[in-house]
């Protein structure tokens, strides 16, 4: 198939950009022709996508020449959405306005990356449960694995800060201080985060930081939480409610071998891509 993926931007290394890069890469590996479109694009991502075997184009180049559209963040490009192409709408968060579902008969499936998103799609938006499915984030297992891991005595917190992660980040930094670990934050902003010992910009080699940390903190069922798990690390999972408030904190040991196998099957980017495509046949 010729598949077009769409999101609000491909400029920096936030969760949405990583999601669509990994998904498109997996679709190419499965033999599909892929185009990625966004209103905001960077030279960095344009070259990165080209190297991975697909093209990143401006959103205004969208047309009805595709077999399928996989999209998020429709509000940022609604006027450019083709009118006659089937759509799979992928939702990454319960909280941000940008992540509202595209309510249209064109949508053949709504994908939530965690169960709480799926529940919101059904309960708050009234979407038919048969059109909603949970499929996890696509992750490159050649990067996130237990090979060559060490414990260099630091705690790692990764992600776009904003309101969603601010309170968890404060708690995580305090946890590290109490447990005599250096606290490290990696993210796309240049925020003043005095509660962390070290702050670094987003990097393509983020897996190296996961492989060498002692423990990692992340929001409930989020990408970085599972990336740490796939590297065999201890984790702290922060439960955030629909209002963005911190509800609960869960501390997890290193995953067992059986849990690792289950995680690898769930998050392998090619298997995730296959699951998403299969939803259009049901």
């Amino acid at each position: 198939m010729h598949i077009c993926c769409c999101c609000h931007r491909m400029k920096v290394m936030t969760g949405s950009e990583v999601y669509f890069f990994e998904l498109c890469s997996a679709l190419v590996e499965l033999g599909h022709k892929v185009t990625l479109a966004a209103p905001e694009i960077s030279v960095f991502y344009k070259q990165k996508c080209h190297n991975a075997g697909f093209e990143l184009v401006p959103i205004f180049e969208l047309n009805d020449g595709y077999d399928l559209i996989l999209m998020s963040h429709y509000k940022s490009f609604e006027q450019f959405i083709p009118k006659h192409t089937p759509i799979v709408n992928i939702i990454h968060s319960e909280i941000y306005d940008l992540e509202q579902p595209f309510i249209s008969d064109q949508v053949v499936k709504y994908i939530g990356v965690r169960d709480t998103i799926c529940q919101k799609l059904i309960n708050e938006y009234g979407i038919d449960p048969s059109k909603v499915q949970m499929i996890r984030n696509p992750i490159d297992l050649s990067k996130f694995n237990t090979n060559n891991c060490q414990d260099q005595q630091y705690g790692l917190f990764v992600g776009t800060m904003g309101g969603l992660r601010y309170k968890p980040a404060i708690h995580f930094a305090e946890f590290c201080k109490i447990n005599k670990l250096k606290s490290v934050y990696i993210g796309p902003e240049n925020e003043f985060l005095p509660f962390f010992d070290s702050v670094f910009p987003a990097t393509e080699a983020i897996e190296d930081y996961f492989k060498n940390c002692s423990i990692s903190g992340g929001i409930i069922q989020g990408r970085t939480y599972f990336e740490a798990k796939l590297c065999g690390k201890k984790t702290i999972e922060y439960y955030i409610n629909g209002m963005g408030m911190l509800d609960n904190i869960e501390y997890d040991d290193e995953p067992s071998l059986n849990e690792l196998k289950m995680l690898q099957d769930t998050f392998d980017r090619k298997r995730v891509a296959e699951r998403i495509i299969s939803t259009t046949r049901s």
Side-chain angles (χ1 to χ4, degrees), residues 2 14-15 30 42 53 58 77 111 188 192 200 209 217 245 261 267-268:
H2 188 182
T14 64
L30 291 170
S42 66
F77 52 85
I111 303 295
F192 180 59
F200 298 109
Y209 287 89
M245 302 300 291
K261 289 178 182 177
F267 291 94
D268 177 78

Side-chain angles (χ1 to χ4, degrees), residues 7-22:
C7 62
H8 75 300
R9 69 180 183 190
M10 289 296 295
K11 290 185 71 175
V12 293
M13 281 175 282
T14 64
S16 294
E17 282 113 326
V18 172
Y19 180 100
F20 276 100
F21 177 79
E22 297 296 347

Side-chain angles (χ1 to χ4, degrees), residues 48 83 100 103 133 193 202 215-216:
K48 184 177 173 70
K83 304 300 182 186
Q100 288 187 17
I103 307 300
Q133 186 169 335
L193 301 171
I215 189 169
S216 179

Side-chain angles (χ1 to χ4, degrees), residues 144-271:
F144 295 93
N145 52 57
T146 57
N147 298 336
N148 302 314
C149 289
Q150 300 179 38
D151 182 350
Q152 296 187 2
Q153 296 296 297
Y154 65 85
L156 180 64
F157 196 97
V158 178
T160 305
M161 190 55 68
L164 184 64
R165 292 181 176 85
Y166 198 78
K167 287 185 178 179
I170 292 174
H171 174 274
F172 185 76
E174 184 62 24
F175 170 88
C176 290
K177 182 178 180 181
I178 292 170
N179 288 276
K180 296 181 171 53
L181 295 172
K182 182 180 179 181
S183 59
V184 175
Y185 168 75
I186 298 177
E189 296 97 344
N190 295 313
E191 291 191 80
F192 180 59
L193 301 171
F195 39 87
F196 282 102
D197 294 315
S198 297
V199 176
F200 298 109
T203 171
E204 286 195 87
I206 190 67
E207 68 274 13
D208 293 339
Y209 287 89
F210 279 114
K211 284 174 176 282
N212 292 318
C213 73
S214 304
I215 189 169
S216 179
I219 61 169
I220 176 175
Q221 299 177 30
R223 166 181 287 277
T224 59
Y225 169 78
F226 288 114
E227 287 173 341
K229 284 275 192 187
L230 285 162
C231 293
K233 297 298 179 175
K234 295 179 180 179
T235 51
I236 302 179
E237 187 174 22
Y238 294 95
Y239 287 72
I240 308 296
N241 64 27
M243 302 297 292
M245 302 300 291
L246 181 58
D247 267 356
N248 191 28
I249 302 170
E250 188 171 302
Y251 300 84
D252 293 333
D253 288 330
E254 299 95 337
S256 66
L257 287 177
N258 284 339
E259 185 181 358
L260 267 176
K261 289 178 182 177
M262 181 192 70
L263 289 168
Q264 290 163 354
D265 177 70
T266 300
F267 291 94
D268 177 78
R269 68 183 188 182
K270 286 177 69 173
R271 292 181 182 177

